[in-house]
């Protein structure tokens, strides 16, 4: 039976967890993308730093200064018909060590007919003994387009740190025209450093990434593979079910970021958010 002291400690811990929510809707108006309703709560904020001729740019900001155990964050983007949105983050997101419950990250991306979303957050860095569970749910119309990048760094490699123990669960589901076309769950738990050296896992790497491009086909894959001689990381590129995907496994964050920028630049055919270049 829990003591009064342990109950008080648990309640205090729960009361001090960060909770943040952002919900953004963008609409096309005469060929120009404009903000619809924007909802912010807790420690998450979204800012729109500069207008664009064909789309809208947005930057997510976490005023909590990182993610700790027990934190809960929710992000929802709704890109309506023929609207265009590019979203990035102000900085890399850090997930700190915890002996308590895992942080919960819930991301919902929806793009209607003729719309385009570029979801381009900067890196997520997991500290040793970090615990995080993330869900990414994507709903696309048949003729919607998507450019998505996610990078995860296991430890601050620039500081000589590695992630030895912890928990990371990453669940992705993508539907196109109402049909499930991609489903994946990555689950790392406990003594995860012992897994990193295995060839079928990270093969000694400490940084992974995924670029998801919709629509995508064999011609796009060949165009991306033309840059293979410049890659500093292990990169695999393929296409199926009408979309293309690039997978990255790198020895450090800098290599991963450089290769991701190459892939995204070729896939997008336009400049990346300026925050990526700083």
């Amino acid at each position: 039976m829990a003591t009064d002291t342990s109950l008080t400690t648990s309640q205090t811990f729960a009361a001090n967890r960060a909770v943040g929510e952002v919900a953004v809707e963008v609409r096309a108006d005469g060929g120009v993308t404009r903000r619809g309703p924007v909802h912010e709560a807790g420690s998450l904020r979204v800012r729109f730093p500069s207008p664009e001729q064909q789309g809208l740019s947005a930057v997510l900001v976490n005023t909590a200064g990182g993610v700790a155990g027990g934190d809960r964050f929710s992000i929802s983007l709704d890109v309506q018909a023929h609207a265009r949105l590019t979203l990035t983050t102000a900085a890399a997101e850090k997930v700190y060590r915890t002996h308590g419950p895992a942080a919960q990250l819930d991301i919902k991306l929806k793009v209607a007919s003729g719309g385009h979303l570029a979801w381009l957050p900067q890196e997520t860095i997991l500290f040793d003994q970090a615990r995080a569970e993330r869900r990414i749910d994507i709903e696309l119309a048949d003729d919607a387009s998507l450019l998505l990048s996610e990078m995860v760094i296991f430890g601050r490699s620039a500081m000589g740190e590695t992630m030895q123990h912890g928990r990371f669960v990453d669940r992705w589901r993508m539907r196109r025209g109402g049909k499930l076309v991609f489903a994946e769950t990555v689950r790392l738990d406990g003594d995860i450093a012992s897994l990193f050296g295995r060839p079928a896992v990270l093969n000694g790497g400490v940084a992974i990434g995924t670029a998801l491009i919709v629509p995508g086909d064999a011609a796009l894959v060949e165009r991306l593979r033309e840059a293979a001689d410049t890659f500093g990381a292990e990169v695999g590129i393929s296409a199926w079910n009408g979309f293309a995907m690039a997978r990255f496994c790198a020895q450090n964050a800098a290599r991963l970021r450089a290769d991701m920028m190459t892939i995204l630049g070729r896939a997008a055919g336009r400049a990346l958010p300026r925050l990526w270049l700083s």
Side-chain angles (χ1 to χ4, degrees):
M1 179 179 296
T3 65
D4 290 343
T5 300
S6 63
L7 283 173
T8 300
T9 300
S10 177
Q11 291 167 352
T12 301
F13 179 87
N16 283 278
R17 294 307 87 206
V19 178
E21 181 179 356
V22 158
V24 175
E25 179 185 300
V26 296
R27 305 166 177 170
D29 181 6
V32 178
T33 300
R34 303 187 185 280
R35 282 177 282 177
V38 175
H39 170 75
E40 300 175 327
S43 61
L44 284 186
R45 297 289 183 269
V46 61
R47 295 295 179 262
F48 300 87
S50 59
E52 299 178 1
Q53 291 183 349
Q54 297 182 336
L56 194 64
S57 293
V59 179
L60 278 174
V61 180
N62 180 10
T63 62
V67 179
D71 289 355
R72 302 188 308 278
F73 296 102
S74 174
I75 300 165
S76 176
L77 304 182
D78 186 351
V79 180
Q80 303 227 328
H82 305 292
R84 301 180 63 87
L85 175 65
T86 298
L87 185 140
T88 188
T89 53
E93 189 65 275
K94 300 178 179 66
V95 184
Y96 299 111
R97 63 183 294 168
T98 180
H99 296 295
Q104 303 290 327
L105 311 172
D106 188 14
I107 299 166
K108 292 182 172 63
L109 310 176
K110 183 178 180 181
V111 189
S113 177
H116 174 74
L117 172 63
W119 169 264
L120 305 174
Q122 300 192 62
E123 303 91 329
T124 297
I125 303 173
L126 299 173
F127 281 51
D128 187 28
Q129 299 188 50
R131 297 173 61 84
E133 298 178 359
R134 180 170 67 177
R135 294 171 57 99
I136 300 178
D137 289 293
I138 305 165
E139 184 178 340
L140 305 177
D142 282 324
D143 61 345
S145 60
L146 173 72
L147 179 64
L148 181 150
S149 164
E150 281 289 350
M151 297 178 287
V152 179
I153 317 300
F154 298 99
R156 295 185 299 176
S157 54
M159 304 293 291
E161 300 174 1
T162 58
M163 186 179 181
Q164 300 293 319
H165 296 83
R167 176 177 174 83
F168 179 58
V169 179
D170 202 18
R171 177 191 179 277
W172 293 33
R173 300 291 185 270
M174 181 169 71
R175 288 176 169 79
R176 195 175 185 198
K179 297 179 180 179
L180 183 67
V181 295
F182 179 69
E184 174 180 271
T185 300
V186 173
R187 186 182 301 272
L188 299 169
D189 201 357
D191 181 15
I192 62 176
S194 64
L195 302 175
F196 290 169
R198 298 181 183 179
V201 183
L202 293 187
N203 198 27
V206 297
I208 60 174
T210 299
L212 178 59
I213 307 153
V214 185
D217 55 19
L220 174 60
V221 169
E222 289 306 311
R223 186 165 77 247
L224 299 179
R225 288 177 177 170
E226 290 174 357
D229 291 343
T230 69
F231 295 149
E234 182 178 352
V235 183
I237 309 168
S238 57
W240 73 101
N241 280 354
F243 63 89
M245 180 174 285
R247 300 281 203 181
F248 305 80
C249 179
Q251 301 298 316
N252 58 60
R255 286 185 179 181
L256 172 61
R257 186 182 179 93
D259 290 348
M260 181 66 81
M261 290 176 67
T262 297
I263 289 291
L264 295 178
R266 284 177 170 261
R270 55 185 299 182
L272 294 172
R274 284 179 289 178
L275 286 168
W276 275 63
L277 308 176
S278 58

